[in-house]
Amino acid sequence: MTALFVLLITVIIISNLAFITASYWITQQSIAPQGLRTLGNLYATPALSSQLLNSQETANEALGQMVDYMPLRGAAIYSADGILLTKFPYKNSPAFPANVSDLDNWMMLQFGTSYSTDLEGENGELGRLVLLANNNLPVAFYTGIITASLGILFLSILLWLLLSKQVKRHITIPIQELETLALRVTREENYALRVIPHSRDEIGQLATAFNTMLSRIEAREQLLKSARDEAEDLATEMRETNEQLVKEVDVRSKVEKKLTGFQHYLNNIINSMPSALIAVDGELYVTQWNQEATNLSGSMLEDAVDQPIFLAFPHLRPYAEQLKRCVELNQIEKVERVSWMQEGKICHYALTFYPLAGDNVYGGVIRIDDVTERLNLQELMVQSEKMLSVGGLAAGMAHEINNPLGAILHNVQNIRRRLSPTLEKNKEVAQDADVSLEGINYYLMLREIPNLLDGIYQAGSRASKIVTHMLSFSRRSKRQLVRTSLVEVIQQTLEIAEADFHLGESTDYKDIEIKLELDESLKPVAIVINELEQVLLNLLKNAAQAIFMRVNPTTQGLIQIRLYRQQQWAVIEIEDNGVGMNEITAKRIFEPFFTTKEIGKGTGLGLFVSYFIITNNHKGELSLKSKLGQGTCFTICLPLNNPLIKE
């Protein structure tokens, strides 16, 4: 009802505003302009216009007669000369311009309706009459509109009160009663309540439908109550049954948990074994395998189970006969050595096939053991024995070589001494032979015999020194730390390395430039001489081999050896411009049996032993920096004050 009342007020206000706007527009656009034009035309008649221009009194009298025209708010007459002749002083009348030439601009600035017309005098001269009207509606018009609107509003309110009383009686009160009863039913859940219909209209029909709905709900409630009672009895029985099932499930869960824990325990056991274990059934389908089998085959347990063994582990296909014999004849089968490629290198394995033991159980277990390290150790032992034999043979040969070398050097000295002109014995023998020592020496000098003797002596001395170094290097060391000049050790190692002609085909250190930067002022360092020579020789051989492995080199092979002091360390750097190595190889270079050389050309123990000698035996550090295609730099750091030696 409130909305209806607000709508009524809004309609009345909008109607009044529309009426006032239309009246104002009609007045402005039609009534005021027509009145001014009529009035101007009346005064512009020859009978009146000639009198208006005769004198100012006549003009004032004529303008005074226009006061009865309500909209008019200003009037003025201009003479034929364009001068303001007279104007009528209305209330709030605007100030007319003194000259008719300013009249057009002035009229454009005025509010309301304006009109001007020409006045013709007795002698034919032309004057000008200007009228200005107000477009505003009179106050009485607004008063009448408001009075009529208030009357309509009063009658509308009376009608609204009468209508609201009837609506409240026939609509609002029945709906409120229906709402109250619905809330009571909801709150009390009492479906026996009923609403009393007040009429047979739509509200009454709604009340009847509501009573019908309550009757049906009451009937269904009775049925639900009966079903609820039966369900409670059934629930009691189900509860007892559930309690029994829960106890059984609890017992089974505990058993299953123990079995699962035992299974995990067994899985952990077989996964912890270093050997690969694979179980197969009588049809050679995989039933179980451990983590090591996954590592070897690359197949996960979930993918391998219930698959034929030769599909899950293709490497075992060549040994199908041994596996079938093991399962069918219940006997152990062994394969001592097989070789497979793993992670880019050849690894060796031993295979053992065991039959499953048990009643009515058929199948087998495959055990795969990695014997690569064992075989490498065996080969290393054989190689060590061979090297010991070769070492002993080399020592014997060195002693045998030293004897003729000593004779050669001794005889060279004797030749020089017997040709010397200062010895009396030489002079006596020359006189007996009737020769001149000066002539003999002059002949020998012309034939460059002294230079040849110097070459024989230098070559023999060099060979003797090399043999001496080899004997010293091949002797078993007592691992005694001795303070020694590192400069001398490096130079001795270079002399040994230059005698090695097995670095490559038709290559040796003569094809490589060796650049030394040695700090002569570095004080002696406590080392095991033979061990450090072994490390340096190994690094030099690796550097030379890396240089010879270059493909289409554009620069000469270069090995730089630097010796300097850095804080409390004596640092030796051996840098080459060889092939270098990638990051993965650099990380594994000190691992035992890791080598990048071809099979049969390296054991993979050289750098491992070198690392052990420097870090363990000398308490130092061995590191490297390398970049593929640019070379490698090995750095040896030896403590100046070794904790293993007592000062």
Side-chain angles (χ1 to χ4, degrees):
M1 296 303 294
T2 302
L4 183 61
F5 178 73
V6 172
L7 178 62
L8 180 63
I9 297 298
T10 303
V11 170
I12 293 174
I13 293 174
I14 292 175
S15 300
N16 289 336
L17 291 176
F19 182 75
I20 292 173
T21 302
S23 300
Y24 178 81
W25 183 84
I26 292 171
T27 301
Q28 183 180 12
Q29 298 295 326
S30 180
I31 296 177
Q34 289 294 332
L36 291 179
R37 187 176 293 108
T38 302
L39 188 61
N41 292 335
L42 177 63
Y43 279 88
T45 58
L48 294 178
S49 62
S50 59
Q51 297 179 6
L52 293 176
L53 296 176
N54 286 335
S55 64
Q56 186 176 4
E57 291 79 7
T58 306
N60 286 335
E61 183 180 356
L63 293 181
Q65 295 177 0
M66 298 182 185
V67 73
D68 294 333
Y69 185 62
M70 296 295 295
L72 192 66
R73 68 185 187 94
I77 296 176
Y78 289 86
S79 64
D81 298 333
I83 303 303
L84 179 64
L85 182 63
T86 184
K87 65 176 182 177
F88 193 84
Y90 293 95
K91 185 179 181 181
N92 298 327
S93 176
F96 285 86
N99 198 307
V100 73
S101 60
D102 300 327
L103 186 61
D104 292 338
N105 294 332
W106 177 83
M107 292 176 64
M108 292 176 63
L109 298 176
Q110 301 304 313
F111 293 99
T113 302
S114 59
Y115 179 78
S116 65
T117 184
D118 294 332
L119 300 177
E120 184 177 356
E122 293 179 352
N123 299 323
E125 69 274 12
L126 295 178
R128 177 67 62 90
L129 171 65
V130 180
L131 301 177
L132 183 64
N134 190 355
N135 292 335
N136 294 331
L137 296 174
V139 178
F141 175 81
Y142 294 105
T143 304
I145 291 297
I146 293 174
T147 303
S149 299
L150 291 176
I152 294 173
L153 179 62
F154 178 74
L155 294 177
S156 299
I157 292 174
L158 292 180
L159 179 62
W160 175 78
L161 291 175
L162 179 62
L163 181 61
S164 63
K165 183 176 180 181
Q166 295 298 322
V167 169
K168 183 177 181 181
R169 176 182 176 185
H170 295 285
I171 298 177
T172 306
I173 293 176
I175 291 178
Q176 289 178 348
E177 292 179 354
L178 186 60
E179 180 185 6
T180 302
L181 183 64
L183 293 174
R184 183 179 174 188
V185 170
T186 303
R187 183 174 60 254
E188 300 177 2
E189 294 186 358
N190 182 7
Y191 300 102
L193 299 175
R194 298 292 183 271
V195 65
I196 301 175
H198 293 278
S199 62
R200 295 183 179 181
D201 55 5
E202 289 81 358
I203 303 299
Q205 294 176 2
L206 178 62
T208 303
F210 187 74
N211 290 335
T212 303
M213 181 186 67
L214 291 177
S215 300
R216 293 181 179 179
I217 293 176
E218 184 179 11
R220 292 184 181 180
E221 183 69 17
Q222 295 296 330
L223 294 175
L224 288 175
K225 185 176 181 181
S226 300
R228 190 184 303 115
D229 294 338
E230 295 177 359
E232 288 179 356
D233 296 337
L234 181 60
T236 302
E237 297 178 1
M238 291 293 294
R239 193 178 301 110
E240 296 175 355
T241 304
N242 287 338
E243 290 176 357
Q244 295 178 358
L245 290 175
V246 168
K247 292 179 181 179
E248 293 180 3
V249 170
D250 188 30
V251 172
R252 292 191 178 186
S253 298
K254 291 180 180 178
V255 174
E256 183 179 356
K257 186 175 181 180
K258 290 183 178 180
L259 291 176
T260 303
F262 184 67
Q263 180 67 30
H264 289 166
Y265 181 68
L266 291 178
N267 290 339
N268 290 335
I269 291 176
I270 66 173
N271 285 332
S272 300
M273 298 184 68
S275 302
L277 294 178
I278 304 173
V280 296
D281 58 13
E283 300 296 328
L284 301 184
Y285 279 74
V286 176
T287 58
Q288 183 62 277
W289 72 8
N290 64 351
Q291 184 61 38
E292 187 63 25
T294 298
N295 297 337
L296 290 179
S297 65
S299 300
M300 301 300 295
L301 174 63
E302 297 80 5
D303 300 329
V305 171
D306 297 331
Q307 294 292 326
I309 180 62
F310 305 121
L311 290 180
F313 207 130
H315 286 312
L316 295 176
R317 187 180 298 276
Y319 314 102
E321 294 298 327
Q322 292 93 321
L323 183 56
K324 291 179 181 178
R325 218 167 30 240
C326 168
V327 175
E328 294 173 358
L329 302 180
N330 198 26
Q331 64 183 20
I332 298 176
E333 296 286 338
K334 292 185 178 181
V335 180
E336 295 296 335
R337 177 175 175 176
V338 297
S339 298
W340 296 331
M341 185 68 70
Q342 294 289 338
E343 297 181 357
K345 62 180 180 178
I346 297 178
C347 298
H348 309 291
Y349 301 93
L351 307 181
T352 308
F353 304 131
Y354 299 95
L356 281 177
D359 297 335
N360 299 324
V361 177
Y362 298 97
V365 176
I366 305 170
R367 191 182 80 184
I368 306 173
D369 298 307
D370 189 348
V371 295
T372 304
E373 185 174 352
R374 187 183 71 190
L375 294 178
N376 288 337
L377 288 175
Q378 290 177 356
E379 293 178 0
L380 180 61
M381 291 174 64
V382 173
Q383 185 69 16
S384 298
E385 291 296 327
K386 185 188 297 184
M387 291 303 295
L388 287 175
S389 300
V390 173
L393 180 61
M397 291 177 64
H399 282 291
E400 293 298 326
I401 292 173
N402 265 338
N403 292 330
L405 282 177
I408 292 172
L409 295 175
H410 182 68
N411 289 333
V412 169
Q413 291 177 352
N414 286 336
I415 291 172
R416 285 178 173 175
R417 189 166 48 250
R418 292 185 182 186
L419 292 174
S420 175
T422 60
L423 294 179
E424 294 297 329
K425 183 65 175 176
N426 294 340
K427 294 179 180 180
E428 295 176 1
V429 175
Q431 290 177 358
D432 294 340
D434 196 18
V435 294
S436 171
L437 286 177
E438 289 77 5
I440 293 174
N441 286 325
Y442 182 70
Y443 169 78
L444 294 177
M445 184 180 63
L446 292 177
R447 298 297 293 167
E448 297 181 351
I449 301 300
N451 293 336
L452 296 177
L453 292 176
D454 291 340
I456 293 173
Y457 187 81
Q458 291 175 2
S461 299
R462 183 172 180 271
S464 178
K465 186 181 293 185
I466 290 173
V467 171
T468 302
H469 289 331
M470 290 181 63
L471 283 173
S472 176
F473 183 73
S474 63
R475 293 192 187 103
R476 291 189 177 182
S477 174
K478 296 181 181 179
R479 294 226 63 259
Q480 182 178 0
L481 291 168
V482 180
R483 289 200 173 274
T484 308
S485 172
L486 294 180
V487 175
E488 296 179 359
V489 174
I490 293 173
Q491 292 175 346
Q492 292 176 6
T493 306
L494 279 174
E495 292 178 356
I496 297 174
E498 289 174 354
D500 188 354
F501 294 96
H502 299 285
L503 296 175
E505 297 180 358
S506 303
T507 57
D508 55 34
Y509 283 97
K510 294 180 181 179
D511 301 323
I512 301 174
E513 179 186 357
I514 298 179
K515 184 177 180 181
L516 299 178
E517 298 178 12
L518 307 180
D519 185 0
E520 300 284 348
S521 64
L522 187 65
K523 67 178 183 178
V525 179
I527 59 171
V528 180
I529 299 176
N530 290 351
E531 291 184 351
L532 184 58
E533 286 180 345
Q534 179 180 351
V535 173
L536 294 176
L537 183 60
N538 187 32
L539 296 180
L540 287 172
K541 292 177 67 175
N542 287 342
Q545 290 171 349
I547 290 173
F548 295 143
M549 291 171 64
R550 298 183 302 173
V551 179
N552 299 324
T554 57
T555 58
Q556 182 184 4
L558 173 65
I559 297 178
Q560 300 182 69
I561 303 176
R562 292 181 284 269
L563 172 64
Y564 58 91
R565 175 174 179 172
Q566 187 177 53
Q567 297 178 355
Q568 300 301 317
W569 299 91
V571 181
I572 303 174
E573 292 183 352
I574 299 179
E575 183 177 0
D576 63 76
N577 60 348
V579 293
M581 62 188 77
N582 56 32
E583 185 177 354
I584 298 176
T585 303
K587 288 182 179 179
R588 301 188 58 192
I589 198 66
F590 295 118
E591 294 181 6
F593 305 109
F594 177 79
T595 180
T596 58
K597 301 175 184 176
E598 298 178 6
I599 298 174
K601 293 187 177 181
T603 61
L605 292 173
L607 289 175
F608 169 70
V609 173
S610 299
Y611 186 82
F612 180 82
I613 289 173
I614 297 299
T615 58
N616 186 76
N617 296 355
H618 291 80
K619 302 303 177 185
E621 298 177 358
L622 177 58
S623 60
L624 82 153
K625 294 180 180 179
S626 183
K627 193 168 184 180
L628 191 63
Q630 298 185 10
T632 303
C633 179
F634 282 91
T635 303
I636 301 173
C637 295
L638 298 173
L640 294 176
N641 299 316
N642 198 313
L644 298 178
I645 188 172
K646 296 181 180 180
E647 301 294 340

